[in-house]
Amino acid sequence: MEAGAISSSDGGCSDEQQEHDENHSQEVQKYEARKPKWWMKLSGRRGTRAQRQTIERMTKCGYCFSRQVLSDFSRINNSAKHSSSAAEQLSSDSWRRVWWNRSLAIVDENDDAAQVTPIIDTVSNSRNVKHAQKIQSMYSNKSPLVPQKFERIALEIGFGSGDNILANAMRHKNTLFVGSEIHQPGCGTVLQKMEAEMGLKMRAEGSDIEEKKIDTTTSISSENSGDAPNKATSYENVRILQGDGVKLLSHLPCKYLDAILITFPDPWPKEGHSHWRVVQPNVLVEMHRVLKCDGKVFVATDAECFNDWTRNIFTQESSKGDWEEVTPCPNRSTWLPIVSYYEQKGIDEGRHTMLQCWKKK
């Protein structure tokens, strides 16, 4: 992997900076997660039956994060903010780290059951038995996969059909790639590819699942890169989450990620729709909180309006001393090795890809 790509250091950030991130997140405008009805009709369709079945199987295997568990996690934490008895324990960053490491099957040398047990004991005394049981189930969540130790963790927000995240996973085996996608068909597609290539399920005769291998001929090669693609089709370093990756940021512990990738998001070209764009001031505050020091945000788009918007928002935040642009942008072979169908379509229509990289200070 090229120096300065998907890597960071967790040293050098003070507790005062962390407190600044948390306080500042309450001052800026909020990201508008709820999309208009017409957009949902166009983009919010369900996956095919085969895709939904694959999602269910891969969730049981541990490669797809349970949507219900994440929903319970969000709901319980939001309700805890209004409960003085549990708020102090639930606001602790230590148990969040333990819980996420268990849920993503990451070896954690500091994993201590004592971080989670007091919370379970607290809610067990609740008069609402069903609520207490749901909390116990959520806090006891653990991935069925065998925990592994990873050097880095990268989050890709909106991975589309998943070609890029799978290519990155094959090239960087020591990095855990967590992909979030709001559209069920996209989740189903990438999980079908993983299932087929890992041999987790034999294709049934007459199935409508298309075995689509990663085409390494369309990847961007790097002359100076020391990382050759790993031919073994094993995606033990991939986790898929159904849902909005921006909302996911608020659930992660501080200084947890080494990199965040935003590849070809919906540009929302009309000015009146700008509040639906992924990059917003309050989103950058959350990114700054969850990234380790020197952690990076990579952005790829072929829409000039979104590229300019992103640069302006980051520039505004960098004036506060939170970000600095990495120039030149790291070689795309280290983080965007695949020319996706969407990108190729844009190239055919005369658009060109614009790349940005910003580092947490």
Side-chain angles (χ1 to χ4, degrees):
M1 182 178 296
E2 179 181 275
I6 306 178
S7 62
S8 68
S9 171
D10 59 358
C13 284
S14 63
D15 294 336
E16 289 79 4
Q17 181 63 52
Q18 178 177 324
E19 183 178 356
H20 164 72
D21 293 341
E22 295 174 350
N23 294 336
H24 186 54
S25 64
Q26 299 176 358
E27 301 173 2
V28 295
Q29 68 179 41
K30 294 183 178 180
Y31 162 74
E32 185 63 51
R34 187 181 296 276
K35 304 299 188 296
K37 292 182 178 179
W38 59 265
W39 185 87
M40 293 301 297
K41 290 181 179 179
L42 292 174
S43 305
R45 64 185 178 87
R46 296 176 67 194
T48 64
R49 181 179 179 183
Q51 288 173 335
R52 297 196 303 271
Q53 290 175 341
T54 301
I55 291 174
E56 183 178 355
R57 289 193 298 269
M58 295 296 276
T59 299
K60 292 179 180 178
C61 292
Y63 295 99
C64 183
F65 202 87
S66 172
R67 195 171 184 177
Q68 185 60 50
V69 170
L70 191 59
S71 176
D72 291 343
F73 183 95
S74 175
R75 188 180 299 109
I76 291 170
N77 279 275
N78 288 336
S79 63
K81 295 177 182 179
H82 307 286
S83 173
S84 58
S85 61
E88 183 176 352
Q89 296 181 63
L90 291 175
S91 62
S92 171
D93 199 62
S94 56
W95 74 262
R96 284 177 183 265
R97 192 173 301 273
V98 171
W99 187 85
W100 275 104
N101 287 342
R102 290 181 178 182
S103 299
L104 296 175
I106 301 174
V107 172
D108 185 0
E109 297 177 354
N110 299 318
D111 188 344
D112 185 0
Q115 300 281 6
V116 180
T117 303
I119 303 176
I120 296 180
D121 293 340
T122 299
V123 299
S124 296
N125 298 325
S126 172
R127 296 180 180 179
N128 189 330
V129 178
K130 290 185 178 180
H131 181 67
Q133 291 176 344
K134 180 173 289 189
I135 294 179
Q136 286 181 323
S137 176
M138 189 273 289
Y139 281 105
S140 302
N141 182 64
K142 192 174 184 179
S143 173
L145 294 173
V146 177
Q148 300 182 52
K149 189 172 183 178
F150 296 99
E151 295 178 0
R152 293 170 293 276
I153 305 176
L155 170 65
E156 182 166 352
I157 298 177
F159 55 74
S161 61
D163 287 341
N164 189 62
I165 192 172
L166 295 186
N168 274 327
M170 289 198 301
R171 289 166 176 262
H172 310 301
K173 288 295 183 180
N174 291 326
T175 299
L176 175 66
F177 288 92
V178 181
S180 63
E181 175 58 53
I182 198 171
H183 303 305
Q184 191 178 62
C187 294
T189 298
V190 69
L191 290 171
Q192 284 178 330
K193 294 174 184 177
M194 291 173 59
E195 187 178 55
E197 295 188 25
M198 295 175 72
L200 294 178
K201 174 181 175 292
M202 297 297 292
R203 282 188 66 196
E205 186 174 354
S207 172
D208 61 350
I209 298 178
E210 179 184 4
E211 265 188 278
K212 184 178 179 182
K213 301 289 184 181
I214 294 294
D215 186 1
T216 56
T217 62
T218 63
S219 64
I220 307 297
S221 61
S222 173
E223 297 179 358
N224 300 321
S225 175
D227 287 330
N230 192 324
K231 298 299 182 180
T233 53
S234 175
Y235 299 114
E236 300 295 330
N237 59 333
V238 177
R239 306 288 185 270
I240 301 300
L241 288 85
Q242 296 182 75
D244 192 335
V246 174
K247 295 171 69 175
L248 172 67
L249 293 173
S250 63
H251 301 321
L252 296 175
C254 298
K255 303 177 187 177
Y256 194 67
L257 302 176
D258 295 271
I260 298 174
L261 286 70
I262 304 174
T263 55
F264 302 96
D266 192 327
W268 295 97
K270 296 183 180 180
E271 283 300 322
H273 297 163
S274 62
H275 54 289
W276 284 310
R277 292 172 184 165
V278 172
V279 177
Q280 301 287 347
N282 69 309
V283 176
L284 264 59
V285 172
E286 281 299 316
M287 288 181 178
H288 195 275
R289 182 184 64 83
V290 301
L291 280 172
K292 298 176 183 177
C293 284
D294 294 333
K296 298 180 179 67
V297 177
F298 299 86
V299 183
T301 182
D302 59 5
E304 290 188 9
C305 63
F306 184 82
N307 185 68
D308 294 341
W309 171 273
T310 298
R311 187 174 300 281
N312 290 336
I313 297 296
F314 267 103
T315 301
Q316 292 174 13
E317 295 300 311
S318 65
S319 65
K320 304 172 185 176
D322 294 341
W323 302 93
E324 67 176 350
E325 187 172 8
V326 178
T327 54
C329 184
N331 193 306
R332 66 170 288 169
S333 65
T334 62
W335 62 279
L336 189 64
I338 291 295
V339 177
S340 65
Y341 168 80
Y342 179 88
E343 183 179 3
Q344 186 60 52
K345 181 180 178 181
I347 294 174
D348 295 341
E349 294 175 356
R351 299 191 297 272
H352 66 281
T353 300
M354 293 162 280
L355 309 176
Q356 295 184 42
C357 179
W358 295 83
K359 181 174 70 172
K360 173 183 175 178
K361 295 177 67 174

